Amino acid sequence: MRTHMHTPRSGGHRAMLARWAVTLLSLTWSTYHSLAIPRVTECGLSCSQGFTCRNHVNRNVFNSFCRQPPPSMSRSVLEALMLSTVMKCAPQDGCSLLLRVHASLTLHESLRGLEACSMSLDTQETHCHSMRVSRASRRQQVGQQLQVHFNCFEVSMAQSLYITLRTVPHFCGVQLNQQYNVEDCRDEDVGRNVPDCFAEKLSYWVDRSRKVVLVQVPEAPGSPDYYLRLCLKWFTCEDAGEPVQVTANSVSRMVSLPYSQEMPCLCLESWPATPDAVRTQTCPFEDDTEALWDAIHYHPGSQALSWEPACPVSGHVSLCWRPGPGAHCLELENSDRPAHRRVQYSLVDTQPQLCLKFSTSLGFWVRCPFEQPRFPAWKMTIQWAPSRAHLRVAFFSPSPTSFQVRLCHRRKMWPLACHQKLQATPLPPASVSRGDFTTDPPVAFVDIPRDEACGPDTCIQGWRTDMHFSAPQQLCNLQCAAEAQTPGTSDLTELHGRELRVKK
């Protein structure tokens, strides 16, 4: 079936379009106002028509004692509790927020009024307002529905409240409760008109060369004094500098806040100098995670290695070792730890190739704290044994230590296939040690049959056994076809020197 539409003449058509435009503007305007927070010129109390109500000063913050209701009173005499935010504005001082409490009840002869109390869930501070119904209204309007509006609860933006509505007198079991969250600065109307929200409009710049954060505090009518500071954001924001106060009549509203190091949890905190002010944080260094991984400490006395996060971190820490320069860092067994708190490893071998690996959802980072020459280290070399049928794995160390050796074979995927652990034989310590690997005698050795050590894809690993965590040294693809040497001599330089040039 075809639908036909009647097209009016041009004059009527223009008039219809005009009516549509007016209707659309009216709808748009009413929608805007329906989304905006209602305005009030003064706070006060109002009751439905026909009732006479008055404010009553509350002597007790909260009347916790109740009496049993009379048999003729239903426990549902309190019918409804509705909460909303209203705004009271002054030309010079900006706007403040109030909580509107709308209560509905059926008037009973035993009721004299209502009490509404608001408790802040953050501070436990409580404010109460009471109203009384005149005796004449109570006699004439028994059984009628009474609507009551309280408009005088001063609140702060983003405040969490617990509202309680009770009868006067307070009858046991006759009570309504409701939790309420006041709008925050993300609400367009609140953000535009409430001075507390102006702190969120701060402009800031980071001068990394001078290590300062420059903050511009905006001027606004009726805006209060502001406090600014840098802090480390954990569960709360911990001081990282003295707060700076910017007064409303300050000539300069530019503030310079110095810092020592860029950290992801180093934040700029600002708040107005008003009671129960909401503090806001902006963290300009959220992506600067590099500094977190440098807080590594080695304790020579206990030979412990520790790391402590300066900011909250979600991830894992582990010890690892690098078989050679540029190689992937291979994790040591039983070294994985959660990174959200201090991590400590006891009895750690101070080898240059032993590192810490930090893994998070953003990636991983490796730090090798023992690469500096100041840390004591040991060395493993391969040389001919007195019998040409064997190779000797020799260990050099500035102090007597225990070592172990194992043979490994390369395969397509890591890790190597390792087996046959051999305990190194200790040697008597030298009477005089110069602390030089090239002149001091070895402290331990292991002789390995040449046929087992000199094969393609074969590696020899050696590590300390008197430590909880030791990174092995590894030599692979031994070139054993060197010129024959007479028994009793050793090739300390050529064989080992050649091994330093092979692939790890």
Side-chain angles (χ1 to χ4, degrees):
M1 181 178 69
R2 215 176 258 190
T3 302
H4 296 273
M5 183 173 67
H6 174 68
T7 304
R9 294 183 179 180
S10 59
H13 182 58
R14 284 195 296 271
M16 182 177 293
L17 288 176
R19 288 195 297 272
W20 287 350
V22 172
T23 303
L24 181 60
L25 286 173
S26 299
L27 287 172
T28 304
W29 183 252
S30 62
T31 301
Y32 168 78
H33 275 282
S34 66
L35 294 175
I37 293 177
R39 279 10 180 215
V40 295
T41 55
E42 59 182 20
C43 71
L45 169 73
S46 63
C47 291
S48 50
Q49 191 173 1
F51 290 86
T52 303
C53 302
R54 60 183 174 84
N55 274 319
H56 183 77
V57 177
N58 242 351
R59 299 299 180 188
N60 298 321
V61 173
F62 220 82
N63 181 18
S64 58
F65 300 102
C66 65
R67 65 180 71 174
Q68 290 301 318
S72 59
M73 178 184 290
S74 170
R75 291 185 180 270
S76 59
V77 65
L78 293 179
E79 298 175 355
L81 171 62
M82 289 173 285
L83 308 174
S84 60
T85 307
V86 295
M87 195 179 289
K88 182 183 177 184
C89 301
Q92 299 300 323
D93 300 328
C95 299
S96 59
L97 298 178
L98 300 171
L99 177 67
R100 171 180 286 172
V101 178
H102 176 205
S104 175
L105 73 154
T106 302
L107 195 61
H108 187 274
E109 58 186 4
S110 300
L111 294 180
R112 296 198 300 271
L114 284 179
E115 177 186 67
C117 292
S118 168
M119 182 181 70
S120 169
L121 295 180
D122 297 324
T123 64
Q124 307 299 307
E125 187 177 359
T126 302
H127 297 282
C128 297
H129 291 287
S130 293
M131 57 79 63
R132 296 291 188 269
V133 182
S134 67
R135 187 173 300 177
S137 292
R138 295 204 304 270
R139 285 198 303 263
Q140 297 170 9
Q141 305 287 351
V142 170
Q144 300 299 312
Q145 188 182 66
L146 171 62
Q147 306 284 336
V148 182
H149 291 275
F150 296 96
N151 282 343
C152 282
F153 288 98
E154 294 184 0
V155 295
S156 303
M157 57 103 179
Q159 197 173 16
S160 295
L161 304 168
Y162 189 75
I163 310 301
T164 301
L165 182 69
R166 293 175 171 177
T167 60
V168 176
H170 178 204
F171 291 113
C172 301
V174 183
Q175 178 174 310
L176 294 178
N177 305 303
Q178 190 173 327
Q179 188 170 331
Y180 186 76
N181 295 315
V182 182
E183 290 83 350
D184 58 21
C185 296
R186 291 173 295 182
D187 181 275
E188 184 178 353
D189 202 8
V190 173
R192 187 172 57 247
N193 295 289
V194 176
D196 284 3
C197 291
F198 299 156
E200 293 196 351
K201 300 175 183 178
L202 297 173
S203 300
Y204 71 89
W205 302 266
V206 177
D207 188 338
R208 292 179 182 263
S209 62
R210 296 168 50 204
K211 288 187 176 292
V212 294
V213 178
L214 302 171
V215 187
Q216 178 68 47
V217 180
E219 294 187 61
S223 62
D225 295 354
Y226 282 97
Y227 287 103
L228 302 168
R229 70 166 181 167
L230 292 177
C231 58
L232 293 175
K233 190 174 183 181
W234 286 78
F235 299 107
T236 59
C237 226
E238 301 175 0
D239 280 327
E242 290 295 324
V244 176
Q245 183 177 7
V246 181
T247 60
N249 56 0
S250 294
V251 176
S252 173
R253 300 178 71 83
M254 177 73 76
V255 176
S256 177
L257 301 174
Y259 65 88
S260 58
Q261 193 173 34
E262 292 92 353
M263 304 289 285
C265 62
L266 182 63
C267 302
L268 169 64
E269 185 175 61
S270 58
W271 69 97
T274 56
D276 295 331
V278 175
R279 301 189 179 199
T280 59
Q281 292 98 24
T282 303
C283 305
F285 307 107
E286 285 180 321
D287 298 328
D288 290 85
T289 59
E290 286 293 327
L292 291 179
W293 323 125
D294 295 331
I296 302 172
H297 301 281
Y298 177 69
H299 311 276
S302 60
Q303 296 179 292
L305 186 68
S306 65
W307 171 82
E308 188 167 4
C311 291
V313 177
S314 178
H316 292 269
V317 186
S318 60
L319 291 173
C320 62
W321 67 284
R322 281 180 165 156
H328 289 294
C329 207
L330 308 176
E331 291 188 16
L332 296 183
E333 291 182 358
N334 304 317
S335 69
D336 188 74
R337 306 284 190 274
H340 62 267
R341 60 177 180 268
R342 186 173 187 267
V343 174
Q344 178 164 310
Y345 299 96
S346 59
L347 292 178
V348 176
D349 186 11
T350 57
Q351 280 298 93
Q353 66 268 29
L354 188 141
C355 309
L356 276 167
K357 182 178 180 180
F358 304 91
S359 304
T360 73
S361 59
L362 301 177
F364 68 90
W365 296 261
V366 175
R367 295 289 188 271
C368 303
F370 303 121
E371 289 180 325
Q372 298 93 338
R374 62 188 178 90
F375 289 103
W378 53 271
K379 197 173 189 66
M380 181 181 78
T381 66
I382 309 293
Q383 59 192 56
W384 293 111
S387 166
R388 287 186 52 221
H390 290 77
L391 294 182
R392 173 161 291 183
V393 182
F395 295 96
F396 298 82
S397 173
S399 59
T401 50
S402 301
F403 293 95
Q404 203 171 65
V405 169
R406 65 182 177 182
L407 292 176
C408 304
H409 297 281
R410 291 183 185 271
R411 49 188 184 181
K412 292 182 179 180
M413 300 293 291
W414 284 93
L416 299 178
C418 299
H419 58 90
Q420 194 178 350
K421 291 182 180 180
L422 303 171
Q423 189 67 36
T425 301
L427 292 171
S431 57
V432 178
S433 174
R434 301 177 183 176
D436 187 348
F437 293 140
T438 60
T439 58
D440 281 351
V443 297
F445 74 94
V446 175
D447 287 345
I448 302 176
R450 175 176 174 174
D451 294 343
E452 297 179 17
C454 301
D457 299 325
T458 299
C459 298
I460 296 178
Q461 289 184 354
W463 69 96
R464 289 181 64 172
T465 57
D466 57 343
M467 289 286 163
H468 291 167
F469 300 98
S470 176
Q473 288 191 17
Q474 176 174 286
L475 297 173
C476 299
N477 297 332
L478 302 180
Q479 305 296 322
C480 298
E483 294 181 1
Q485 299 184 12
T486 58
T489 63
S490 61
D491 182 9
L492 286 171
T493 56
E494 183 178 356
L495 182 59
H496 179 57
R498 187 174 296 154
E499 292 316 307
L500 293 180
R501 293 193 295 270
V502 299
K503 290 184 179 181
K504 302 295 181 184

